[in-house]
């Protein structure tokens, strides 16, 4: 990659908060300076910023007696207003407008909502506005929640066809051992097939939800879809220009973990489907013949005759899991009919495809 044209930058709560949990406005200001430098170099930037809950907590204090859901709702409602106000003022200092996009998992679960969201962020970028994305923590609870903002940033990165996703945390990258032991080093490159997980500690970050394990799982998935993912230290001065501007050799000098993208970038529809697995509404149990046909070299759609049974209730346009006779999932796909119609057609010859090839993503 010689020059980047569009990048997503995810900033974790740990980067934006001081050790006492209050919002680190100096750090925010430094990051805005860096993003402005990227924009001046012609790079479009989408910011995914955490920190709402942390900044709300520091505003209201922890003296309130609330359950987990209510405290997250209250802190995020107050904290998001504070966070976006800060960003607004900081970008405004450079004459640049920013705008807020708050989202929930549901917005990625149906193609219409997904395209609507994509259009919103695309329009903002075209108008020169910096989109600042966060989860709508005030209303998203339990099954509506993203695992963490790392997951959200991966979805935004693939949705917006960025060339790189930079995940800024408070450490330099993924280490090849315990960071407190002498000789431990940051893994500089992760190739698509490298056995990375054995190095990773499952600890969570102090103020956010994600840990290194979720970061690397997301990073691997996003990289397998053709996007470079960089995990780096957001507390280091001028980290973003160092990572993304300059010659390839200069960029390589910066300590961070780079997930090398796999050469093939699937179509954006396939990428969306690959990422939609957690929104799957039901299952189609397939016969051996269908599994063989789908996993063969030809681009094959799933016909009613290959379906043995239908599990769960879904509507036309929903994502479902595709399961083989051994109960093992082989992929996911978007259905052309609701569960009732698919059940009625299952096992019969003829009829239109239940999942078209272009709307299917196979794990095989
Ligand atoms: N959306 C949460 C916030 O802004 C952060 C979630 C996470 O830690 O990943 O506070």
């Amino acid at each position: 990659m010689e020059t980047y044209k569009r990048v997503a930058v995810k900033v974790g709560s740990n980067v934006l908060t001081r050790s006492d949990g209050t919002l680190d406005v100096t750090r925010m200001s430094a990051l805005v300076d860096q993003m402005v430098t990227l924009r001046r170099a012609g790079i479009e930037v989408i910011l995914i910023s955490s920190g709402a809950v942390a900044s709300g907590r520091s505003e209201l204090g922890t003296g309130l007696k609330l359950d987990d859901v209510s405290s997250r709702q209250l802190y995020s409602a107050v904290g998001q207003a504070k966070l976006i106000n800060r960003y607004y003022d900081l970008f405004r200092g450079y004459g640049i407008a920013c705008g807020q996009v708050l989202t929930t998992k549901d917005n990625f679960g149906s193609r219409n909502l997904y395209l609507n969201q994509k259009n919103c962020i695309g329009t903002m970028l075209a108008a020169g506005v910096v989109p600042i994305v966060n989860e709508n923590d005030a209303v998203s609870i339990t099954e509506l929640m993203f695992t963490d903002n790392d997951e959200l940033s991966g979805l935004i990165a693939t949705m917006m066809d960025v060339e790189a996703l930079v995940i800024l945390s408070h450490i330099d990258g993924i280490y090849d051992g315990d960071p407190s032991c002498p000789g431990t080093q940051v893994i500089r490159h992760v190739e698509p097939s490298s056995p990375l997980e054995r190095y990773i500690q499952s600890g969570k970050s102090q103020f956010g939800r994600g840990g290194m394990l979720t970061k690397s799982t997301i990073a691997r998935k996003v990289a397998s879809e053709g996007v470079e993912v960089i995990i780096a230290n957001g507390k280091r001065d001028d980290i973003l220009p160092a990572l993304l501007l300059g010659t390839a050799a200069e960029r390589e000098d910066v300590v961070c973990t780079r997930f090398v993208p796999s050469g093939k970038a699937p179509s954006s529809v396939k990428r969306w489907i690959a990422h939609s697995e957690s929104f799957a509404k039901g299952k189609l149990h397939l016969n051996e013949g269908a599994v063989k046909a789908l996993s063969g070299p030809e681009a094959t759609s799933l016909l009613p005759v290959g379906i043995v049974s239908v599990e769960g209730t879904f509507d036309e346009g929903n994502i479902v899991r595709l399961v083989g006779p051994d109960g093992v999932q082989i992929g996911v796909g978007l259905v052309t009919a609701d569960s009732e119609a698919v059940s009625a057609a299952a096992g019969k010859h003829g009829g239109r495809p239940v999942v078209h090839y272009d709307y299917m993503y196979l794990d095989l």
Side-chain angles (χ1 to χ4, degrees):
M1 168 78 48
E2 266 323 296
T3 49
Y4 296 91
K5 296 206 165 43
R6 179 180 287 183
V7 299
V9 176
K10 186 257 170 178
V11 183
S13 302
N14 258 318
V15 179
L16 296 178
T17 43
R18 298 198 175 88
S19 53
D20 61 358
T22 55
L23 200 60
D24 186 346
V25 182
T26 312
R27 179 59 47 202
M28 283 178 82
S29 168
L31 286 165
V32 168
D33 294 349
Q34 295 174 44
M35 286 183 269
V36 171
T37 305
L38 298 185
R39 278 180 47 117
R40 287 185 176 155
I43 303 177
E44 287 180 325
V45 181
I46 302 164
L47 173 61
I48 299 97
S49 180
S50 300
V53 174
S55 67
R57 194 184 290 123
S58 73
E59 187 76 17
L60 297 174
T62 48
L64 298 158
K65 288 212 168 11
L66 295 168
D67 60 59
D68 283 356
V69 170
S70 304
S71 65
R72 184 165 166 267
Q73 291 182 315
L74 177 68
Y75 291 146
S76 66
V78 173
Q80 180 65 29
K82 184 171 155 186
L83 194 70
I84 203 72
N85 260 308
R86 292 282 189 209
Y87 278 125
Y88 187 86
D89 287 341
L90 291 166
F91 277 110
R92 202 161 194 226
Y94 286 102
I96 294 173
C98 66
Q100 166 177 277
V101 181
L102 295 181
T103 188
T104 60
K105 210 167 180 175
D106 255 7
N107 286 330
F108 292 87
S110 104
R111 182 106 182 113
N112 281 347
L113 294 176
Y114 179 86
L115 289 177
N116 181 33
Q117 194 168 231
K118 179 171 177 159
N119 183 58
C120 165
I121 297 179
T123 305
M124 290 169 87
L125 289 172
V129 173
V130 179
I132 304 182
V133 185
N134 195 3
E135 180 168 8
N136 194 347
D137 298 289
V139 297
S140 68
I141 47 166
T142 56
E143 73 276 8
L144 287 180
M145 265 165 78
F146 298 101
T147 316
D148 48 46
N149 268 11
D150 299 324
E151 183 189 19
L152 171 60
S153 69
L155 289 163
I156 296 285
T158 47
M159 178 175 82
M160 296 313 299
D161 298 318
V162 301
E163 285 134 357
L165 164 64
V166 183
I167 299 182
L168 293 178
S169 169
H170 64 309
I171 52 172
D172 286 333
I174 295 175
Y175 288 89
D176 60 3
D178 181 346
S180 58
C181 292
T184 303
Q185 287 185 337
V186 169
I187 302 169
R188 303 296 287 268
H189 292 106
V190 178
E191 297 295 333
S193 58
S194 68
L196 175 72
E197 278 67 23
R198 65 171 178 214
Y199 296 122
I200 298 172
Q201 330 254 317
S202 56
K204 300 254 184 248
S205 48
Q206 199 187 348
F207 295 108
R209 294 208 298 276
M212 267 305 154
L213 197 56
T214 54
K215 279 187 186 36
S216 65
T217 311
I218 302 286
R220 220 188 242 295
K221 185 159 192 169
V222 174
S224 76
E225 286 155 28
V227 177
E228 179 183 9
V229 183
I230 307 170
I231 298 182
N233 192 337
K235 298 216 175 206
R236 284 203 183 276
D237 290 344
D238 285 323
I239 186 76
L240 290 173
L243 289 169
L244 300 168
L245 302 178
T247 65
E250 283 164 350
R251 297 196 299 248
E252 282 301 317
D253 269 352
V254 185
V255 178
C256 66
T257 302
R258 285 178 192 263
F259 287 74
V260 179
S262 72
K264 57 170 178 49
S267 73
S268 65
V269 170
K270 288 223 178 218
R271 288 190 199 194
W272 168 63
I273 290 175
H275 270 282
S276 303
E277 188 174 332
S278 57
F279 318 113
K281 301 273 193 246
K283 278 185 190 169
L284 300 183
H285 292 272
L286 313 185
N287 60 29
E288 199 56 63
V291 172
K292 229 168 144 186
L294 297 184
S295 44
E298 309 265 302
T300 309
S301 298
L302 173 65
L303 297 169
V305 70
I307 301 170
V308 178
S309 64
V310 173
E311 200 180 314
T313 310
F314 49 81
D315 294 322
E316 177 191 339
N318 282 164
I319 301 290
V320 297
R321 295 177 196 277
L322 308 176
V323 179
D326 50 4
V328 175
Q329 179 176 318
I330 62 156
V332 282
L334 183 142
V335 277
T336 57
D338 63 24
S339 42
E340 219 173 294
V342 178
S343 282
K348 298 193 177 127
H349 286 278
R352 62 190 183 116
V354 174
V355 179
H356 190 274
Y357 171 75
D358 286 341
Y359 292 86
M360 186 188 305
Y361 188 87
L362 299 175
D363 306 327
L364 307 163

